[in-house]
Amino acid sequence: MGYEVTTPIFYVNAAPHLGHAYSTIVADVLARHRRQRGDDVFFLTGTDEHGEPVANVAAERGITPQELVDENAPKFAAMREPLESSSDYFVRTSDERHKAAVQELLTRVKDNGHVYEDDYEGWYCPKCADFKTDSEIGEGNTCPIHGIDLLRERERNWFFRLSAFQEPLERLFAERPDWVVPAVRRNEALAFIKGGLQDVSLSRAAISWGVPVPWDPEHVFYVWWDALLNYRTALAFGREGEDLTDSHWPPVHVIGKDILKFHAIYWPALLMAAGIEVPRRLLVGGFLLVDGAKMSKSRGNVLDPFAAVEAFGADAVRFYLLREVAFGSDGSVSIDGLRARYETELANDLGNLASRSLAMVRRYRDGRIPDVAVDAEIADAFAGLPDTVTTMLDEGRISQALDEIWQRVRRLNRYVEERAPWTLAKAEKDAPDDTAALDTVLRTLTEGVRSVAVLLHPWLPASTVRLLEALDAPSLVWDDALPGGGPVTTVGDLPPLFPKDRGVDDGAAGRGADAG
Ligand code: MSP
């Protein structure tokens, strides 16, 4: 089955920080999981390059906007490799193919009768690129998100008839109660709709850095329409020699809560106006906080994803963010927190379990995994787990899915202590023919470890592959995830998955490495 998953496309006028990396990691977990289930995944990310903040910075620096975005977009593209992101395409909204498709799609919306010309007057935040409605205006006409003064804008614009989609949107939310998750975000979007929708600008006349409106070339399209449409346009050119538009639509979007209105209201309305099916689901994340405040360039409290990965490895950073911050909620992150989870959970819980399990097979059975059944106690403890994880991931309960798996990691650690294989090995010395008990324990442990490695792969892509290679059982196929489904092999060497000497260099992982 075709499956498209996306991150928001990033504004290019800042350097990437861990808050951006977070959406990428969440989307990557879903992409990897779906590939394990055999889907034909198209995982899309990229940069949002139009709009006046870019034009303003370029003007200040005396370069063209195109030169500026060409300089900055690669910084976001470069985040993919260190994060082990498996994205399939990096879309840039200054791409001519995207621009042509935006023109075609928005002309269709106009041809369908949803566009008209009128004068606009109202409050606008240049940082959000958002025309604020009355309920979204802070004290003294400021932006509640950025705290800056809103601008009073007056211009002749093309408008999108958003108000006409009030009822269709209410119906969408009623018929598909979980199309926006978590529920708190769904309710927020629905309340906004119920408050009454006003028409919104489709074009801007005062700006020239954007996609020209074909029927009125003095205008460019309002940057949010151009940006949202990336999710659609890139399907046509994101995979060499193939057009995925029909096979992969509708998509699943991972977004942050600050861009909910655009994705949960404007976007489905625009798609309805163009006669295109609305997205499959919106998964809305909260904010990563540092000392209680949103991590952001303007606050100067950003953590540099490149330095964190350098210090602890991609797997640890991915794991930490998704384990520490329940997806959908806000949560504080820090390098100390990362180090603590690295040591207690990755190195001790998982790393030790894996290394001691393999070491015992080598010591007691010359590396050959005994060809016996898995202990029923552990089989029971894992029963139904892959299905539970699948459901949770589909529903955006990403941290809960990880927790379900981690409980089994802990269960396996308890199993080692309860069965004490070293005692069984001593007993075998006195009764060499009686190997059944230790055989079962060793097979159960290696299968348990293999199972959690397959299940954890989306979160820990590099270390799980190393572990599965050491078990000589490299398959990531989801259907084989349960203990008992793996081959009887000879195990190889496994250097520590999470060495204890990592992340000692505080400086490398400290704040402010982002000069942005
Ligand atoms: N360009 C728009 C998105 C257009 S999508 C059609 C945009 N870009 S952004 O670069 O400002 O933000 C990209 C994403 O990063 C947003 O989803 C935002 O919520 C997320 N984050 C930025 N800082 C964040 C944190 N501190 N924590 C978690 N995510 C945050 O918005």
Side-chain angles (χ1 to χ4, degrees):
M1 189 180 75
Y3 177 90
E4 181 187 14
V5 59
T6 70
T7 71
I9 50 171
F10 304 105
Y11 288 135
V12 280
N13 50 350
H17 59 66
L18 219 50
H20 302 121
Y22 185 55
S23 328
T24 303
I25 294 167
V26 170
D28 190 58
V29 166
L30 299 175
R32 287 180 183 274
H33 169 69
R34 284 286 182 157
R35 287 194 201 100
Q36 285 184 277
R37 278 160 62 184
D39 287 341
D40 178 17
V41 171
F42 181 66
F43 169 18
L44 180 67
T45 186
T47 39
D48 182 356
E49 304 189 353
H50 292 129
E52 70 256 67
V54 169
N56 293 345
V57 172
E60 277 163 27
R61 288 188 41 197
I63 56 176
T64 65
Q66 190 66 52
E67 283 169 336
L68 180 68
V69 297
D70 287 347
E71 185 181 304
N72 285 350
K75 295 180 194 162
F76 283 89
M79 206 164 60
R80 293 187 296 171
E81 199 189 312
L83 291 178
E84 297 266 355
S85 159
S86 63
S87 62
D88 295 293
Y89 190 68
F90 191 88
V91 63
R92 297 184 51 189
T93 54
S94 62
D95 187 309
E96 292 301 330
R97 295 166 298 181
H98 167 76
K99 287 159 66 177
V102 166
Q103 291 180 324
E104 189 271 313
L105 277 153
L106 293 178
T107 302
R108 201 197 302 175
V109 171
K110 178 168 184 286
D111 292 346
N112 289 349
H114 303 297
V115 173
Y116 65 96
E117 199 178 13
D118 203 355
D119 288 320
Y120 175 79
E121 179 162 2
W123 296 103
Y124 181 78
C125 171
K127 286 208 172 167
C128 298
D130 189 8
F131 301 93
K132 301 290 181 184
T133 57
D134 292 348
S135 63
E136 297 175 296
I137 296 173
E139 194 114 330
N141 293 324
T142 52
C143 168
I145 296 173
H146 293 100
I148 56 172
D149 286 340
L150 296 174
L151 307 176
R152 192 71 188 166
E153 295 276 338
R154 253 181 228 99
E155 59 182 41
R156 191 147 192 88
N157 275 347
W158 290 94
F159 276 78
F160 171 58
R161 220 180 279 283
L162 182 64
S163 58
F165 291 89
Q166 171 106 19
E167 267 184 30
L169 286 172
E170 283 182 16
R171 215 176 312 129
L172 167 68
F173 277 75
E175 285 168 4
R176 287 169 46 186
D178 55 1
W179 98 273
V180 177
V181 293
V184 54
R185 299 296 159 222
R186 169 198 183 262
N187 296 340
E188 181 184 329
L190 187 56
F192 190 93
I193 297 169
K194 294 223 155 125
L197 294 177
Q198 292 160 18
D199 295 343
V200 283
S201 287
L202 186 81
S203 72
R204 307 290 318 273
I207 298 166
S208 58
W209 176 238
V211 181
V213 174
W215 64 86
D216 188 353
E218 295 292 291
H219 287 230
V220 296
F221 286 114
Y222 171 39
V223 64
W224 267 100
W225 301 121
D226 156 18
L228 287 162
L229 279 166
N230 90 85
Y231 302 136
R232 177 80 179 174
T233 63
L235 286 171
F237 53 82
R239 190 186 284 173
E240 193 81 32
E242 263 184 89
D243 185 337
L244 306 179
T245 310
D246 293 332
S247 54
H248 285 63
W249 195 265
V252 169
H253 299 307
V254 175
I255 62 165
K257 65 179 184 180
D258 51 337
I259 53 178
L260 177 70
K261 177 178 77 173
F262 303 100
H263 285 81
I265 300 170
Y266 291 16
W267 180 223
L270 186 79
L271 290 167
M272 290 176 189
I276 298 170
E277 207 179 326
V278 303
R280 209 189 273 237
R281 196 163 260 162
L282 293 186
L283 306 178
V284 189
F287 288 151
L288 303 188
L289 312 175
V290 173
D291 301 330
K294 181 189 176 196
M295 188 190 301
S296 72
K297 183 196 165 204
S298 45
R299 287 197 177 82
N301 63 354
V302 295
L303 295 175
D304 178 6
F306 301 102
V309 166
E310 177 85 9
F312 292 92
D315 281 12
V317 172
R318 297 166 61 103
F319 176 82
Y320 170 66
L321 293 183
L322 297 195
R323 186 119 170 96
E324 187 74 22
V325 183
F327 183 75
S329 311
D330 293 352
S332 287
V333 295
S334 67
I335 293 301
D336 287 343
L338 169 53
R339 178 178 300 108
R341 289 234 186 238
Y342 181 90
E343 284 171 6
T344 56
E345 299 197 312
L346 291 176
N348 290 350
D349 289 354
L350 181 62
N352 274 351
L353 172 71
S355 58
R356 73 203 294 208
S357 299
L358 271 70
M360 286 190 286
V361 176
R362 281 195 300 269
R363 192 173 322 131
Y364 304 136
R365 294 293 184 265
D366 291 329
R368 188 74 192 156
I369 298 175
D371 188 2
V372 297
V374 166
D375 198 324
E377 213 175 283
I378 292 301
D380 285 352
F382 277 70
L385 181 59
D387 288 344
T388 306
V389 170
T390 292
T391 306
M392 287 180 161
L393 288 181
D394 286 352
E395 292 173 356
R397 290 186 284 153
I398 296 162
S399 314
Q400 287 96 321
L402 177 54
D403 191 56
E404 284 288 329
I405 306 170
W406 212 257
Q407 287 175 30
R408 278 27 176 233
V409 172
R410 297 212 163 118
R411 180 69 191 86
L412 289 169
N413 276 310
R414 282 204 308 279
Y415 182 77
V416 182
E417 298 306 322
E418 285 161 12
R419 292 295 192 276
W422 42 91
T423 318
L424 299 175
K426 271 193 203 132
E428 271 184 11
K429 289 213 171 103
D430 302 328
D433 291 338
D434 195 1
T435 59
L438 185 56
D439 279 351
T440 298
V441 172
L442 295 177
R443 170 73 169 158
T444 302
L445 283 177
T446 47
E447 270 302 290
V449 165
R450 188 193 62 80
S451 174
V452 293
V454 173
L455 296 166
L456 286 170
H457 176 70
W459 289 268
L460 300 169
S463 41
T464 51
V465 163
R466 281 174 51 211
L467 175 51
L468 290 169
E469 275 167 7
L471 285 166
D472 196 20
S475 167
L476 293 168
V477 173
W478 197 250
D479 287 345
D480 302 336
L482 280 175
V488 172
T489 57
T490 301
V491 304
D493 264 350
L494 180 65
L497 290 174
F498 304 101
K500 286 267 168 94
D501 57 357
R502 287 210 78 160
V504 285
D505 180 4
D506 265 337
R511 285 191 197 176
D514 167 21

